[in-house]
Each structure stands twice: as structure tokens, then as C-alpha cells.
Amino acid sequence: MLEAIGSYIDLQVIAFLFLGVMVGIIGGGLPGITPSMTITLLLPISLYLSFIPSIALLLGAYQGAMFGGSISAILINTPGTAAGAATALDGYPLAQQGHARKAIQMALYSSCTGGFVGCIILILGAQGLSRLTLKFGPPEYFALMVMSMILIAGISGKSMLKGIIAAGLGLLASTVGTEIIFGARRFTFGSINLYDGFPTLSLFIGLFAMSEVLLDLLNPGEKLNAKPALVNTGKDRITLRDNIKQLYNMIFSGILGALMGILPGIGGSTAAFLAYAEAQRRSKTPEKFGTGHLAGIAAPEAANNGVCGGALVPMLTLGIPGDVVTAVLIGALIAQGIAPGPLMFIERIHVVYIIYVGLALATIALVIVGTLGIPLFSKVIKMRKSILLPCISIICVIGTYAARSNPFDCLIMLGFGVIGYFMKRTKVPISPMVISFVVGKQMENSLRQSLILSDGSLSIFFTRPITLGLLIVAAVACLLMVRRNIVARKK
């Protein structure tokens, strides 16, 4: 470990580490430029560098991009990344109240805390946790997704019926496209553009950002040209008390994110929404979530960056990418002549520790770069809506198009913008729809794969210890939520 730390005491390495973080924040903050795309764009540069500067550049971009998505989510309700959509639920309302800087600071410190937690879990439990992930098959993934869906009930707002309707819409949207078992095409209406289903980014940008634009344009009044009220910068800061109050939430969500990151294919968006739902379930004031509550920013951001450390576990120990970004990182390591996998811990243990230290230092660099950039970021909220709304609309269209270079994606984004507009007008919560869309496809695939393995028998879900344990946790959580709703109704 000391040798690995010593290898980073070099101006060139530090410069590339900070460069990676800055590029990552910019890439993550631009809708359509995903963390994987940001790192892919930096990959050609890393090939011309020696191993330590190249891994510093890529790990810095990884951490920076995971945080960057929260900036646009908070300021203009346009998530830069899929995981940033969870942050928008409370970040944007808080920014609308004149506390943009506070919201971004909370996102930054939560991201860094989650990043450190993920790094610690990576260092202490890489090999042991990788063995556990090998025991996860389709039944275990299905039980995990069921538990996620149960937690949606906790963020349905005052009306459980509206929450169920929203979740149903999300599940319906997740079934569009080609299903993986038999290759049948569902709800595509003969359009080749829908064979892969609805693009996640198009759905998120439409529901969160375009719906807000439509709301402001169709109900302009005098607010469109009104000059924003001056923000009291003295109050618009995160205090030490705020950080201490959210510390448990950040650590717990970071651990949850890291554990979700270890499971290949789960991704930061699922982890962020699950952490958000769990934070609301644990909260003594769940009704504050969605109104600009700091806990609603801390939980998804800590989980989002906690995924970074978790996703590196299967990459380093098994040579299996935990997500799309780690798949690109595997390519970068192979290009440097290093093959990730079990033998790496025997033959090239120094490389493992260089990656450990690089991830930790990238988190420290994120604190520095993010803190210096917050005053600049928070000025966006001071723009008049008559200037801001056209800019948001252009960003929405360009960001949606950039993801797949397909104009049809822009039409999908506009369609979900209209759906989001009517949902907001009728006070149907958007978050249950988004979460059920994220987990719906994987839940269905895992269910069908499990039933194929068991020849159609449901016993497979009750004879495997991990699956049974997760289903019991889901059932208990469901009972606790029902009890809480009964108590709240009586009050």
C-alpha cells in the first residue's frame, strides 16, 4: 500500500488525476454524455501514457462523471446521467427554493463519502465479496428486484393508488422492445426504433426536464420574465451540522451502493433509486422527500459513487465487468498488458493496490475540484426563465440525440415530456414510474430465466437460501410499510 501511495507522488500523475476528474464532471453534467462515454473518449489518450498516469486519468473521470450528473439534475432538472435522476427528485426543488449551492454541496460531500465507503469495501472485501456474487443467479436477482419494487411503496406520496398507477406505467414502459428469452417483439408497432425498447436517458430527460419546460411554458404568467430573487449566500451553504446529520445516511447508502455495484449489471441508477427509497422508508419525516429534503440528495449520491468501488470488485477478482464503465477499464488494462482476474492478486498485486489508491485519491480530487467549481455551477439558477427554458430545451434535444445519434429518441423524449406534464398536473408521482422502469426489465428477465431453470416450478424461489432471505426481507418491509400507513391514517 505504501509503495502504491509513493507511486502517486508525481506531478504528472497528479495532473492527470485532476484532469480526469474535471473532464468527468463536465461529461457527467452534459445530458447524453454518460460516464462510459466520457471514459471511452479518454481511452485513446490513456494508451499514450504509462500505466499509473493512465489509470489515474480514467479513475478520476469515473468518480467525476458519477458526481457530474447531479449538477444538471439539481440546477435545471435535466439528469446528466441515469443515476442523477434520483438526485433531481429533491435537488431541483431545493434549488428552486434558492438553495442551489447547498444542494450541490450536499451532492458533492455525499458523493465523496460514498466514494470512500466504496473504496474501503473494495480494499477490505474484494476477494470474499466476489465469491458471494458467484452465488447470485436469476432467482437471487429476481428476489433483489422484488425487494426494490416493494420499497417503491415508500415513495408513493400521499396517495398509494397514484403511486401504484405510476409504478404500473413504469413496468409497462419496461416491456417495450425485444424480450431476451424468445426474441419476441412487444409494443413496437412495427417500428425498428423500438426494438431495443425505450432509451433510459430519453425517458428520464422527458419525464424530469421536458415536462418542467412544458409546465412553465403552458402556465407562464409573469414568472417567465421575472428576475430571480437574490439568494442569501450566507444561508445557502451546507453546515457542519447538516453533514453530521446526514452522515449515517451517507455511509449506509454508500455501503448499499457498493454492494449493488458488486452485482454485475445492476448499475448506478438502480442503486441510487434503491438508496433513495430506503432513506425515505427509514426517515421519521418521509413526507418531506420530494420537496427539497437534504436526505433525498445525500442517499442517491452516496450510493451512486459507492457503486464505483463495488463495480471494481468483480473486475479485479474475476475479470468480469460490474458495469459498462468497468468494461472500458478492462480494455484499458489489457491495452497496458495487464489481464484482470484471480491471477492478478498473485502475479501483479502491486497493480491492484495502485488501483485501490487511485480510486481513493480520485475521491479527494473530486472534493477539491467540486468545491472550487460550486460557486460557478450555482450561478445558473440566477438566470431568468425566459433565457433558461430555451437553453434547457436545446440541451434536452442535443443530449437525447447524442446518446445514440437517433432523431427518433428525441420524439420519445418529447412523448415522455407530455406524459410527465400530465402526471405533474394530476399530482401522480414520477419517481415510482422511473424506479419500476429501471428494475422492471431485469426483474422480468430474472423471473423467466428462473422458471426455465426450474421447469416452471415456483419452488426455486423458496429452496435457495439467499433468494428466500431476500424475499423474507421484502415481505417484512411490506408489512412495516402497511403498518406505517395505517398509523399515519389514524393520526
Side-chain angles (χ1 to χ4, degrees):
M1 180 67 83
L2 290 173
E3 286 177 13
I5 292 170
S7 64
Y8 280 89
I9 304 174
D10 183 286
L11 284 176
Q12 185 194 29
V13 175
I14 293 170
F16 278 108
L17 181 71
F18 276 86
L19 176 65
V21 171
M22 285 189 283
V23 172
I25 290 174
I26 294 168
L30 294 172
I33 310 297
T34 60
S36 56
M37 195 184 297
T38 305
I39 291 178
T40 303
L41 293 172
L42 290 174
L43 193 56
I45 299 171
S46 71
L47 299 179
Y48 291 96
L49 303 172
S50 58
F51 171 66
I52 298 175
S54 70
I55 202 67
L57 177 71
L58 296 175
L59 289 175
Y62 191 11
Q63 287 280 22
M66 296 301 272
F67 160 69
S70 67
I71 296 171
S72 53
I74 289 168
L75 294 177
I76 57 175
N77 205 24
T78 308
T81 60
T87 308
L89 297 175
D90 277 275
Y92 183 67
L94 190 60
Q96 290 293 95
Q97 295 165 22
H99 299 296
R101 181 178 292 191
K102 179 182 270 193
I104 298 174
Q105 282 180 327
M106 188 78 262
L108 174 64
Y109 300 144
S110 302
S111 295
C112 296
T113 305
F116 271 119
V117 169
C119 190
I120 291 167
I121 288 175
L122 171 66
I123 294 169
L124 297 180
Q127 288 176 297
L129 290 169
S130 66
R131 293 191 196 101
L132 178 63
T133 60
L134 289 175
K135 296 179 181 179
F136 266 68
E140 285 75 19
Y141 278 112
F142 172 72
L144 189 65
M145 294 300 107
V146 168
M147 190 169 71
S148 303
M149 290 295 291
I150 291 293
L151 291 174
I152 292 175
I155 55 170
S156 296
K158 293 180 180 179
S159 172
M160 188 68 74
L161 177 62
K162 288 182 178 180
I164 292 169
I165 290 170
L169 287 171
L171 285 174
L172 181 63
S174 73
T175 62
V176 174
T178 307
E179 54 89 22
I180 66 165
I181 306 297
F182 299 109
R185 295 177 188 130
R186 303 180 299 194
F187 305 114
T188 59
F189 302 100
S191 173
I192 194 171
N193 293 295
L194 291 174
Y195 282 6
D196 290 331
F198 292 126
T200 304
L201 204 61
S202 300
L203 184 139
F204 284 0
I205 291 176
L207 286 177
F208 286 105
M210 189 50 67
S211 63
E212 196 70 30
V213 171
L214 292 174
L215 233 104
D216 284 324
L217 289 177
L218 295 175
N219 301 291
E222 297 177 356
K223 293 181 180 179
L224 208 58
N225 290 304
K227 190 175 181 180
L230 291 174
V231 176
N232 187 336
T233 54
K235 292 182 179 179
D236 190 31
R237 295 177 188 274
I238 282 290
T239 62
L240 181 61
R241 185 181 176 185
D242 291 329
N243 277 312
I244 293 172
K245 197 173 179 181
Q246 297 300 330
L247 186 60
Y248 174 77
N249 186 17
M250 288 189 273
I251 293 173
F252 181 89
S253 299
I255 293 170
L256 183 63
L259 294 176
M260 295 289 281
I262 292 168
L263 301 171
I266 295 294
S269 56
T270 305
F273 278 109
L274 185 59
Y276 183 91
E278 178 59 24
Q280 187 171 14
R281 188 190 67 79
R282 293 194 323 268
S283 175
K284 293 179 180 177
T285 54
E287 68 281 355
K288 289 185 178 180
F289 280 74
T291 62
H293 196 35
L294 287 177
I297 301 172
E301 281 303 306
N304 184 19
N305 278 62
V307 167
C308 298
L312 290 177
V313 171
M315 185 196 89
L316 293 176
T317 57
L318 304 172
I320 299 170
D323 56 11
V324 182
V325 178
T326 47
V328 178
L329 288 175
I330 286 177
L333 289 173
I334 291 171
Q336 295 281 350
I338 298 162
L343 290 177
M344 195 163 142
F345 282 79
I346 300 169
E347 298 171 355
R348 298 198 171 185
I349 190 67
H350 66 285
V351 171
V352 175
Y353 279 92
I354 283 170
I355 293 171
Y356 287 168
V357 174
L359 189 66
L361 291 178
T363 309
I364 295 171
L366 177 61
V367 177
I368 297 168
V369 175
T371 302
L372 293 174
I374 282 173
L376 181 64
F377 302 146
S378 56
K379 286 183 180 179
V380 173
I381 205 69
K382 295 181 182 179
M383 294 173 66
R384 294 175 188 266
K385 281 195 173 182
S386 56
I387 299 170
L388 193 60
L389 291 180
C391 295
I392 294 171
S393 302
I394 292 167
I395 290 169
C396 288
V397 174
I398 293 174
T400 306
Y401 179 79
R404 298 197 306 178
S405 302
N406 187 349
F408 189 78
D409 291 354
C410 299
L411 296 177
I412 293 173
M413 180 270 293
L414 290 171
F416 278 106
V418 173
I419 291 170
Y421 167 78
F422 284 109
M423 288 178 73
K424 287 179 178 179
R425 286 293 301 268
T426 55
K427 296 184 179 179
V428 175
I430 287 176
S431 47
M433 179 178 176
V434 172
I435 299 175
S436 58
F437 175 78
V438 169
V439 304
K441 185 169 289 189
Q442 188 160 6
M443 185 171 74
E444 183 200 357
N445 292 341
S446 299
L447 171 64
R448 297 181 69 186
Q449 288 167 348
S450 302
L451 293 175
I452 288 170
L453 287 172
S454 65
D455 291 326
S457 173
L458 292 173
S459 62
I460 193 170
F461 299 112
F462 306 104
T463 55
R464 296 167 71 113
I466 296 175
T467 307
L468 183 60
L470 289 171
L471 289 175
I472 289 171
V473 170
V476 171
C478 185
L479 290 171
L480 289 174
M481 275 186 242
V482 169
R483 180 177 172 273
R484 190 185 71 184
N485 286 336
I486 291 170
V487 171
R489 196 179 297 116
K490 286 180 178 178
K491 286 183 179 179

